[in-house]
Amino acid sequence: MADYKDLANLIFPDINLTIEDLEKKYPERVLPDNAEVTRFAPSPTGFLHTGSLFTSLVSSFYAKQTKGVFFIRLEDTDTKREIEGSAEALVKQLKIFNIIPDEGYISDNEEKGLYGPYKQSNRALIYKTVIKYLLENGRAYPCFATPEELQELREKQEKEKVIPGYYGKYAKYRNLSVDDAIKMIKDGKPYIIRFKSMGDHNNKIFFHDEIRGDLELTENDQDIVILKSDGLPTYHFAHLCDDHFMRTTVITRGEEWLPSLPIHLELFDTLGFRRPKYAHLPVIMKLDNGNKRKLSKRKDNEASVEFFLKEGYPIYGFIEYLLTIANSNYEAWRNENLDKSFYDFTFSFDKMSLDGALFDIEKVISISKERMAYKKANDLAIEVKEWAKTYDLEFYQKIENNFELLVQILNIEREKENPRKDYAKYSDVYPIIKFFYNDIYDSIDKSNLDFTVNINKNETKELDKEVIISSLSEYLDNYNLDVTEEEWFENLKLLAAKHKFTSDRKAFKASPESFNGQVGDMAGLIRLSLAGRKNTPNVYFIQKILGFDEVERRINSVIQYLGLKK
Ligand code: GLU
């Protein structure tokens, strides 16, 4: 009579390694006390999801904070869903966010670290060694169930109103004799390998999750598949082997894996491997018509990290935003430690929200604006240029031609206590400042210039052409840039008064027909002439940057246009 060993040898004739060999090859890591080993384990199935960035940020942040190790493992066992090139793209994007693994997968031909291979498709030897051990000990078995048999089983269980799945008395091949199993294999019957569970779903188990606290779970009794027909392991089994032999100490993963936790605990216990700690991270949600739902790859731009890169949200702002989702005390800490790097923040799992982090683009915007406003103009200009190189070539050319100009523009009202907060992302910059470039200014269609002034919220009035021409002409006659902003404005007020632009707002509102406009409208006229638009940074500084001749040229071009206009 054949025994389990014969069966194991028949299935894996070439596997001579033992678990002890693997334990020796991948020894416990020597690390400082309390250091944690974390990992990010993406599947190469597409672009980097915002939720995955969040998970990897938390994992790497925590490893760094505890002086541990953070590694990347590529989970490429689902060959059908794999998208070529996505793994390397993913690693590059993480790097942009300064998430750089201490070890692990780097590219398809490169990895670093002593606990590899870090790509699951290269780890067959390890999986097979562990499965062989389970087979030898009667804790795994070949299952020959055909799709039809499985379908029948589902129907039977539905009728009987019992928990569905392959377990206990419903697991047809669980108690097949070794002789019969060997015969079926020799007869060429296709099979997969299942784990033989000893659990009972009537039992409860208790477990402490780093985020969710003490949990009461139902014990696993499913004979899950561990090796698929394509010879690759399932997630559950790969998780066991990989996180054990890579010596992960805390598994940080999405909460969608929580229901499978009892399976994983049983696998770890069966093999006598020390259970790692688990931190099941909340899924990132979105408010949609008042209802919370998961950020969806299909529906939401914000689900893709590429979206934020393309829009040019600064990395530091985005990371900070993710930290506000990660820990409820982050913002308070930030406000008290403005001069520190966010890497100085002490992250902790127990300050993480349990009920799904709500993604809030408005908050991303406000954090980014705040952070961008306090950057030095030169540093910001470098960032903008770097972004434009990939995402806006027209702008990039202009920056290349005159980098200093961009620095000067970005410096407008910057180095002060309460700087302007015009930009939430790099793509905001060009539309706001492009009028500075002469070719862009010259391409403005002057018939679109809006020469109306506001009387109140709802009412406007059109400025008289002659008034515009005469006030702009007189502005140019006395125009001088060698004055302070205050002096410039005083002069403007005098000119305004002369052309019936009042400084008495109430009087204007009460009797708009008695005036051409208000003082601000006079400044607005100059702004419009110089920029072709009504919203711009401070007009005084625009003139300083454009320079005397260009200001004159632009205003004259407006005067000339109006003069010719019927
Ligand atoms: N490859 C799994 C996923 O992409 C990883 C889960 C884990 O971190 O263990 O969901």
Side-chain angles (χ1 to χ4, degrees), residues 146-181:
T146 60
E148 294 73 35
E149 279 177 319
L150 292 174
Q151 179 58 25
E152 255 170 51
L153 174 63
R154 268 191 291 274
E155 284 164 13
K156 179 175 155 79
Q157 288 173 331
E158 215 166 281
K159 239 190 244 146
E160 290 180 15
K161 295 199 173 28
V162 294
I163 297 172
Y166 204 87
Y167 62 98
K169 65 174 185 183
Y170 298 103
K172 180 170 171 190
Y173 295 95
R174 177 182 164 103
N175 294 318
L176 193 70
S177 74
V178 170
D179 286 331
D180 288 346

Side-chain angles (χ1 to χ4, degrees), residues 39 41-43 73 75 235 239 243 251-254 256-257:
R39 88 298 192 268
S43 304
R73 175 175 68 235
E75 307 218 318
Y235 168 77
H239 158 50
D243 284 311
I251 311 292
T252 45
R253 63 182 180 189
E256 67 272 21
W257 293 109

Side-chain angles (χ1 to χ4, degrees), residues 1-11 132-142 176-183 185-186:
M1 224 173 67
D3 63 11
Y4 289 136
K5 264 205 157 61
D6 299 319
L7 179 63
N9 281 330
L10 176 66
I11 295 179
K132 191 168 188 185
Y133 170 84
L134 288 173
L135 285 165
E136 285 169 350
N137 288 280
R139 291 304 304 272
Y141 62 92
L176 193 70
S177 74
V178 170
D179 286 331
D180 288 346
I182 288 179
K183 180 167 185 321
I185 292 175
K186 287 190 172 161

Side-chain angles (χ1 to χ4, degrees), residues 434-452:
K434 67 202 291 188
F435 69 85
F436 275 99
Y437 300 101
N438 294 352
D439 60 326
I440 302 279
Y441 177 81
D442 291 336
S443 68
I444 293 171
D445 179 355
K446 293 205 169 56
S447 66
N448 290 333
L449 295 184
D450 175 7
F451 288 106
T452 56

